[in-house]
Amino acid sequence: MLNKKFGFYATVALAGSVFLAGCGDDAANEEGGGGAAEPEFISVLTGGTTGTYYPLGGAMATIIENETGIDTTAEVSQASAANMTSLADGTGEIAFVQTDTAFYASEGSNMFEGEVIDSVSAIGALYPETIQIVTTEGSGITAFEDLAGKSVSVGAPGSGTYINAEQLLEIHGMTMDDIDAQNLDFGESQESLQSGQIDAAFITAGTPTGAVESLSATADVNIVPVAADKAAELIEKYPYYAEDVVPSGTYGLTEEVPTVSVLAMLVVQNDISEDTVYDITKAIYENTDQIQHAKAEFIKAETALDGIGIDIHPGAQRYFDEVNQ
């Protein structure tokens, strides 16, 4: 099992068991959904409490429950890679994941080497997941090359953040051996930066990120820029990246900082029925005004299929075909 292989998924305490309705359900047999499951409970796997997935997941769980009548809860998890594994294992129904991580899972590469996950499909893209190389003013780190020899948090081994860090180091002619790599989650990174135990941290999340906001309350935060030529080189080799910025004013920054991003997306178990996933997709993309987070403005039906490198669930595809005509 992938989760045993990597050992990085913290057991999620579910609020209830998942019961599957009979295959003869008439609604499930409509629109090509015959034989698919109708869940009585949905668990939305998010990330840590100091990241962006968790507050968004909580808002989406409320929307799904209100609009579909299905009991839905948001669960804390170790984010992208762990979430793909958990959906494959049947310990969740919907999950947040980076688009690059979902792609790796679909082809069995990087952290999923030799372990293809083909039981999960996309609902849709959400917003840019900005790669933030976070440090403090007192660290003396102002450029990417300054990370050499420093103590740097790179996320859990095999996580989406870890792979992002690895690929950015590669583009700059470095490897994990050139830094003192620390495998910390976002909350641990914040605490370690605050106490001076580490010099910098890679954090891949929508801005503003809770952990970095908390850090900025006690220290002057700097974001290490990714130079335009290095961003272009990265995108040429790994086309799921895009140019991005951390806006001026975020974390008290006095000017915007250039960097790169991947996309956050929602994925779902393939065996959830077409009608159910249609209803869930419609609920989320038509009620973004109920999501009290800065990233809600990016969640739009017209861009929901951008950057998706895996199959779209038929229910989600039906919804987007209807509204994007």
Side-chain angles (χ1 to χ4, degrees):
M1 303 287 284
L2 261 174
N3 55 341
K4 292 181 181 177
K5 181 177 178 182
F6 294 104
F8 59 83
Y9 183 75
T11 303
V12 176
L14 299 180
S17 299
V18 178
F19 293 94
L20 303 182
C23 293
D25 189 301
D26 291 339
N29 285 315
E30 293 174 3
E31 304 288 349
E38 297 287 359
E40 293 183 4
F41 173 83
I42 288 176
S43 176
V44 180
L45 306 183
T46 62
T49 56
T50 57
T52 305
Y53 290 171
Y54 185 72
L56 284 176
M60 289 181 183
T62 299
I63 290 169
I64 292 169
E65 183 165 324
N66 289 344
E67 297 295 319
T68 70
I70 302 171
D71 289 338
T72 307
T73 61
E75 308 291 347
V76 175
S77 79
Q78 291 191 358
S80 291
N83 288 351
M84 289 297 293
T85 300
S86 294
L87 257 63
D89 290 345
T91 53
E93 288 69 53
I94 295 174
F96 285 75
V97 65
Q98 292 175 200
T99 50
D100 54 337
T101 303
F103 175 76
Y104 301 147
S106 71
E107 65 170 17
S109 61
N110 283 312
M111 69 284 272
F112 300 99
E113 189 66 43
E115 300 283 351
V116 174
I117 293 179
D118 56 8
S119 58
V120 174
S121 53
I123 288 179
L126 299 173
Y127 59 87
E129 288 261 62
T130 306
I131 288 84
Q132 304 164 73
I133 308 163
V134 182
T135 186
T136 58
E137 193 170 291
S139 71
I141 298 171
T142 59
F144 196 97
E145 290 75 12
D146 295 337
L147 295 174
K150 302 291 187 180
S151 180
V152 183
S153 171
V154 294
S159 67
T161 298
Y162 186 94
I163 298 298
N164 298 149
E166 197 170 46
Q167 291 170 343
L168 273 165
L169 286 165
E170 173 196 350
I171 292 301
H172 287 84
M174 301 164 67
T175 70
M176 289 289 177
D177 292 336
D178 293 307
I179 62 174
D180 179 14
Q182 303 295 313
N183 302 121
L184 308 176
D185 65 22
F186 295 169
E188 292 167 336
S189 294
Q190 173 218 322
E191 294 169 0
S192 297
L193 281 165
Q194 198 167 314
S195 65
Q197 292 179 297
I198 63 172
D199 302 299
F202 282 82
I203 291 182
T204 301
T207 57
T209 307
V212 189
E213 285 190 306
S214 295
L215 178 64
S216 71
T218 60
D220 292 327
V221 168
N222 285 343
I223 304 295
V224 181
V226 177
D229 61 330
K230 292 301 182 182
E233 189 178 343
L234 181 74
I235 293 165
E236 183 176 359
K237 184 163 187 178
Y238 303 108
Y240 38 75
Y241 285 99
E243 292 186 28
D244 199 1
V245 298
V246 179
S248 174
T250 309
Y251 316 131
L253 297 173
T254 57
E255 56 185 31
E256 71 176 27
V257 179
T259 184
V260 292
S261 64
V262 290
L263 285 172
M265 66 186 290
L266 284 177
V267 293
V268 63
Q269 287 182 341
N270 287 347
D271 61 3
I272 304 299
S273 80
E274 179 177 326
D275 287 342
T276 298
V277 175
Y278 173 91
D279 290 342
I280 290 169
T281 308
K282 180 182 177 70
I284 292 169
Y285 285 89
E286 294 188 0
N287 290 281
T288 56
D289 59 323
Q290 298 179 34
I291 301 174
Q292 302 301 310
H293 192 283
K295 289 304 171 190
E297 66 176 295
F298 294 96
I299 304 173
K300 301 176 181 178
E302 55 265 37
T303 57
L305 300 182
D306 293 351
I308 301 294
I310 65 173
D311 291 340
I312 312 296
H313 192 285
Q317 186 69 61
R318 172 153 62 98
Y319 171 73
F320 295 126
D321 286 345
E322 288 180 4
V323 299
N324 292 330
Q325 293 181 10

